[in-house]
Amino acid sequence: MDRTLTLLGIESSCDDTAAAVVRLDADRPRLLSSDVLGQIALHAAFGGVVPEIAARAHAERLDGVVEDALSKAGVALGDLDAIAVTAGPGLIGGVLSGVMLARGLAAATGLPLIAVNHLAGHALTPRLTDDVDFPYLMLLVSGGHCQFLLVEAVDRFRRLGGTIDDAPGEAFDKTAKLLALPQPGGPSVEEEAASGDPARFQFPRPLLDREGCDMSFSGLKTALLRARDTLIAAQGGLTRQDRHDLCAGFQAAVAEVLAIKTARAVAMAGVQLRAVCVAGGVAANRTIRSGLEGVAARAGLPFVAPPLRLCTDNAAMIAWVGIERLRAGLPVELDFVARPRWPLDDRAPAQLGSGKKGAKA
Ligand code: KG4
Ligand code: ZN
């Protein structure tokens, strides 16, 4: 189909205020603009995202971010075919800020408004960046999420498993905190680990003995805390090498668990996959990435990791879901509501204890 579609995407479900314009031209996606305004500094003093502060910041900044995205794309509202907005899951105040702005724009222009699931945005990104065909495996690993999805169609996702407690990014952040390293923890732990010996400390590989591809990461930080305290008790503090080795041991444990469980998810999918894909901030980690690459290679499958700016929260992925839905002829839901929780796979059992950090996915 050679229809041209130009969509504005709006994302405000956690602590990034984002807008983007994506065009489908001769069946090829083109990213015309993608603006992301983060809020790390606003929440830094509180040790986590404060929903009220996030919602207010979104409300104040969304207009400007949308204007910026349109002007960078060289597109006027009248050039759009539709608007796509994150309608959940997420922190409800932020989601509402985005939905209200999008409703206003749609009412003023008469454009269709498409309600997008934020997780579908992450899950469908490999099709925006690498034209991956269905079905494929998606490992979503971020600060608030960790799950394996079998992506079967634009609107069909099967959850194969995921964390039963912390997300890996959260574990990296807590590890950094325990070792007095800067936040976000992932990049600092990775940097420390580069000069460390991953074999000096044997950290647990939780749930490997359990069938399936569920994971657990909360025990890892307790093990790290114990190792740290044992060293401090014995020597009165930590040497730089201790810190390197602790980070390397922790990172090796996370990478090994993710790789082994990914191999299991490939086997559990029960269909001929087209690719193994990863998204989320943790996908930036080179040790984790190369572990997953190895799994894909052994399964004879391509490994697809979108560029980091499209792996982490952004609005291009939201616009893209809108395009995918229109292209697939799915109906535009007129009467949607903003939803704090919105599982992609309704058939999967509710995850007790997951998503403790809140909504960031
Ligand atoms: O996807 P993202 O930007 O936001 C969430 O949706 O959570 O992911 C942020 C998370 C943080 O926990 C951060 O520590 C982690 O991704 N992260 C990393 C690395 N870079 C970011 N974790 C491990 N290694 C990295 N290089
Ligand atoms: Zn996300």
Side-chain angles (χ1 to χ4, degrees), residues 59-310:
E60 285 169 0
R61 297 165 165 194
L62 267 165
D63 285 10
V65 172
V66 166
E67 266 175 37
D68 237 40
L70 288 169
S71 94
K72 279 184 191 154
V75 160
L77 280 173
D79 301 324
L80 296 172
D81 293 288
I83 298 170
V85 63
T86 300
L91 299 173
I92 195 66
V95 176
L96 276 170
S97 302
V99 168
M100 278 178 344
L101 175 73
R103 276 201 199 285
L105 287 174
T109 54
L111 290 168
L113 180 59
I114 303 171
V116 171
N117 182 311
H118 176 91
L119 299 173
H122 283 302
L124 294 175
T125 299
R127 292 169 54 76
L128 166 67
T129 57
D130 293 80
D131 200 19
V132 176
D133 275 336
F134 300 120
Y136 57 87
L137 182 73
M138 164 57 72
L139 167 59
L140 181 55
V141 264
S142 67
H145 264 266
C146 181
Q147 53 183 321
F148 289 107
L149 292 167
L150 172 61
V151 186
E152 297 172 308
V154 172
D155 62 343
R156 217 167 56 239
F157 308 88
R158 191 145 65 83
R159 190 183 191 280
L160 300 173
T163 185
I164 58 165
D165 42 52
D166 291 357
E170 200 175 352
F172 269 95
D173 294 340
K174 285 178 181 166
T175 293
K177 205 167 172 189
L178 289 173
L179 299 176
L181 299 169
Q183 295 291 331
S188 0
V189 170
E190 180 172 17
E191 199 185 321
E192 290 283 320
S195 326
D197 171 10
R200 177 169 158 207
F201 299 99
Q202 269 309 310
F203 290 122
R205 270 66 170 159
L207 296 196
L208 284 194
D209 53 345
R210 193 199 277 190
E211 266 182 50
C213 56
D214 278 342
M215 292 163 283
S216 160
F217 295 99
S218 70
L220 253 178
K221 68 171 188 277
T222 315
L224 185 118
L225 175 67
R226 259 196 229 112
R228 182 200 72 171
D229 288 349
T230 307
L231 286 170
I232 294 176
Q235 358 169 117
L238 294 180
T239 65
R240 281 174 65 185
Q241 194 58 47
D242 291 337
R243 210 170 265 130
H244 295 323
D245 295 343
L246 286 167
C247 286
F250 165 81
Q251 181 176 266
V254 176
E256 191 182 331
V257 169
L258 286 173
I260 291 175
K261 294 286 179 168
T262 301
R264 287 206 198 152
V266 169
M268 280 170 71
V271 288
Q272 182 52 54
L273 296 169
R274 300 302 188 98
V276 173
C277 307
V278 67
V282 180
N285 187 286
R286 281 171 296 247
T287 305
I288 291 174
R289 215 180 245 254
S290 74
L292 300 177
E293 244 169 314
V295 172
R298 283 189 289 282
L301 295 170
F303 174 67
V304 176
L308 201 61
R309 69 198 174 92
L310 295 176

Side-chain angles (χ1 to χ4, degrees), residues 11 13 118-119 122 140 142 311-314 317 359-361:
E11 155 65 36
S13 64
H118 176 91
L119 299 173
H122 283 302
L140 181 55
S142 67
C311 256
T312 53
D313 285 353
N314 67 87
M317 67 181 190
K360 183 127 188 176

